Amino acid sequence: MRLMNVGVVMWPISPWPQMGRLWQRAEELGFHTGWIYDHLAWRGHTPWDDAYTSLAAAAALTSTMRLGTLVTSPNFRHPVPTAQAVKTLDRISGGRITLGVGAGGTSHGSDGDVLGAEWTPRQRADRFAEWVTLLDALLTGTDVSSDGEHWSARGVTVSPGLVQLPRPPFLIAGEGPRGMRLAARLGQGWIANPQSPDAPALPRLKESLARFEEICHAEGRDPASVPKLLLTGFTSDPWLSSVAAFEDLHGEYAEAGITDLAVHWPRPDSAWDADMEVFEAVADFCRNLR
């Protein structure tokens, strides 16, 4: 059986120290990565704690699990303070940070327009490409200057002290050709987030994987060398209905080429609720695969 790294999306909504105990439990269960959605609120839910501050606290309470955003977007973050925060998280965690990044959504409930501007799809893609390019430069260079259409920096040095070199890995989300090209050029992985509540993800995902493979070849990148993460929970696939269902789906998606998987910590009274005993048994199944 092909193996996938299985991570868990955490909900930054519980009070501390309860939230801290959940992070520690996620590590005890053996999840490869603990992820947080990077928003001011998510689908209108508030309170929603800041992703970077939450990850710093989680880094101090864990020691083996990787930590990351799924995903950071340019909706309300400038590349300069973002680079400084990423560097600091890398240092606090001892090199366990992975940065998932994406172009960002449009919903006001998830901070899509909080800067007082509404962008066309093309403008959003332009901002994102420029944002990722500048963030990469900031985390790999010194005395970085840029005078872009959307983002600027002057003589910025934040990269010294990074644990992971040349910088923490970027996993780049994007279903369209521009996002895929960006992932092939600058990413250490690609994120797939198919959203079809009434259908399984696999048929559409296979098409996306084929397109991404073509783009990798065009960019001079071996697609087999690029990790591919699937964010679950937004299709009809019953990942956490039973261990048997998880095992079947794990095999199907791994065979299709997915290398990394993210499931959600069970959240009562939501679409992401699940039986905690099943969830822990799934974690045990994943741990025993390694």
Side-chain angles (χ1 to χ4, degrees), residues 35-39 52 69-77 82 98-106 110-112 119 121 123-133 135 151 170-176 178-180 182-183 189-193 231:
W35 302 100
I36 295 186
Y37 295 140
D38 183 30
H39 293 292
Y52 285 78
T69 56
L70 197 64
V71 295
T72 287
S73 85
N75 277 348
F76 62 93
R77 291 196 185 274
T82 301
T98 296
L99 191 69
V101 293
T106 60
S110 293
D111 54 63
W119 300 288
Q123 288 172 325
R124 193 173 292 276
D126 289 343
R127 292 179 81 251
F128 180 51
E130 193 176 304
W131 188 92
V132 174
T133 301
L135 187 68
W151 310 100
F170 291 177
L171 300 190
I172 298 178
E175 295 288 329
R178 291 189 66 185
M180 288 184 176
L182 195 62
W190 172 66
I191 298 170
N193 180 21
L231 175 59

Side-chain angles (χ1 to χ4, degrees), residues 85-97 162-164 168:
V86 171
K87 187 269 299 286
T88 304
L89 283 172
D90 189 54
R91 289 166 60 80
I92 292 173
S93 68
R96 292 185 287 127
I97 289 299
L162 279 167
V163 177
Q164 300 179 90

Side-chain angles (χ1 to χ4, degrees), residues 133-205:
T133 301
L134 180 52
L135 187 68
D136 173 67
L138 290 163
L139 288 170
T140 56
T142 57
D143 196 27
V144 176
S145 295
S146 176
D147 186 17
E149 181 179 354
H150 302 282
W151 310 100
S152 298
R154 181 181 298 173
V156 181
T157 296
V158 299
S159 61
L162 279 167
V163 177
Q164 300 179 90
L165 297 174
R167 60 158 169 73
F170 291 177
L171 300 190
I172 298 178
E175 295 288 329
R178 291 189 66 185
M180 288 184 176
R181 281 196 296 271
L182 195 62
R185 286 201 309 269
L186 291 178
Q188 284 65 58
W190 172 66
I191 298 170
N193 180 21
Q195 302 202 21
S196 52
D198 300 321
L202 197 54
R204 176 180 168 186
L205 182 64

Side-chain angles (χ1 to χ4, degrees), residues 32 80 125 220 286:
H32 178 266
V80 171
C286 298

Side-chain angles (χ1 to χ4, degrees), residues 201-274:
L202 197 54
R204 176 180 168 186
L205 182 64
K206 286 182 176 179
E207 295 176 1
S208 296
L209 286 167
R211 287 197 302 272
F212 184 62
E213 184 173 326
E214 291 176 2
I215 287 171
C216 283
H217 284 306
E219 294 291 333
R221 192 95 178 262
D222 177 7
S225 71
V226 183
K228 303 161 190 73
L229 182 146
L230 173 65
L231 175 59
T232 70
F234 300 92
T235 67
S236 65
D237 295 299
W239 285 97
L240 297 178
S241 63
S242 69
V243 177
F246 183 91
E247 184 174 353
D248 288 344
L249 288 165
H250 178 284
E252 292 175 6
Y253 283 83
E255 188 63 30
I258 293 298
T259 62
D260 294 74
L261 191 74
V263 297
H264 292 79
W265 190 274
R267 179 177 163 189
D269 303 318
S270 78
W272 296 273
D273 197 5

